Amino acid sequence: MEFVEFFRQLESLGLTDALLPFLLLFTILFAVLQKSKLLGKDKRNFNIIVATTISLMVVIPHVTGSYPPNKDAIELIKSVLPQ
């Protein structure tokens, strides 16, 4: 029972609304940047900064409610991925 309550508590704190989409975007962007070597060879720190910045630029407007109706990238991600 406590296990279920723990996950309900995490969801009420916004885990599925902000943290999981951020981690998904960050992971995909970081992997693409690492594999493509777009910023140069052995530039892991730059790749982390760029992936973090872009991920935050997508997630923060969702959290603050700044996206126009039906244009929210996080809502699109949540509708495409299975629950």
Side-chain angles (χ1 to χ4, degrees):
M1 242 358 184
E2 292 178 20
F3 190 69
V4 173
E5 289 300 318
F6 172 72
F7 282 104
R8 285 187 182 149
Q9 181 72 20
L10 287 177
E11 181 151 356
S12 71
L13 292 174
L15 177 73
T16 58
D17 208 35
L19 185 61
L20 291 179
F22 171 79
L23 289 175
L24 175 69
L25 288 170
F26 173 80
T27 304
I28 292 170
L29 288 170
F30 180 70
V32 168
L33 288 171
Q34 282 289 101
K35 190 70 174 172
S36 68
K37 296 180 176 80
L38 185 66
L39 300 176
K41 188 177 180 184
D42 298 327
K43 298 292 184 179
R44 182 182 174 110
N45 291 340
F46 290 131
N47 292 339
I48 289 172
I49 291 170
V50 169
T52 302
T53 303
I54 293 172
S55 299
L56 286 173
M57 288 172 46
V58 172
V59 172
I60 288 175
H62 170 75
V63 172
T64 60
S66 302
Y67 279 120
N70 299 324
K71 304 284 188 215
D72 193 346
I74 302 301
E75 292 300 325
L76 176 66
I77 291 170
K78 287 170 48 177
S79 69
V80 171
L81 295 177
Q83 298 292 329

